[in-house]
Amino acid sequence: QVQLVESGGGLVQAGGSLRLSCAASGTIFRLNTMGWHRQAPGKQRELVAAITNGSSTNYAESLKGRFTISRDNAKNTVYLQMNSLKPEDTAVYYCNALGVAGFPLRYLEVWGQGTLVTVSS
């Protein structure tokens, strides 16, 4: 089995920065895509950013410029640098991965437990 563990969430003031990390562990052959989604109370989960193992990126248009996604393939870890945070960014942020993993190897989609980001005004 493969597990994703997020870290770095917490409480920040508007205008501040936060860096989220997500480390994948277990039997992993290749994680083709890793990304971040977020969900605010009473709202649907939405894509924040995603990155392939070739470092191609995709961002929500409203977040592009403030958020930056990156990954370390050797560590099976994805990061999300969040700058100029706004109260509307408050949400639970979930890490997601798609790739070949597990035992026996198969194509999997895995979600982390989520980490709470709270931005105060």
Side-chain angles (χ1 to χ4, degrees):
Q1 186 57 261
V2 177
Q3 293 183 341
L4 302 177
V5 180
E6 302 100 332
S7 62
L11 175 65
V12 297
Q13 294 193 62
S17 298
L18 209 59
R19 187 183 189 232
L20 305 183
S21 299
C22 173
S25 62
T27 303
I28 300 170
F29 179 73
R30 181 190 300 111
L31 297 179
N32 294 14
T33 303
M34 300 186 76
W36 294 91
H37 294 70
R38 68 183 185 184
Q39 187 168 22
K43 297 183 178 180
Q44 293 185 344
R45 188 173 298 186
E46 63 176 344
L47 172 71
V48 175
I51 185 169
T52 69
N53 60 358
S55 297
S56 296
T57 58
N58 182 39
Y59 295 92
E61 287 298 322
S62 62
L63 302 178
K64 195 172 185 178
R66 294 195 297 121
F67 289 13
T68 302
I69 189 170
S70 61
R71 67 185 288 171
D72 186 334
N73 291 335
K75 297 180 179 179
N76 290 315
T77 300
V78 64
Y79 307 93
L80 183 68
Q81 179 66 46
M82 304 184 293
N83 298 324
S84 302
L85 284 164
K86 305 174 181 179
E88 60 213 62
D89 294 320
T90 296
V92 177
Y93 285 70
Y94 296 92
C95 179
N96 171 251
L98 293 165
V100 180
F103 186 83
L105 291 174
R106 58 194 183 278
Y107 201 80
L108 297 174
E109 180 178 9
V110 185
W111 290 87
Q113 296 274 36
T115 184
L116 177 63
V117 173
T118 303
V119 184
S120 62
S121 59

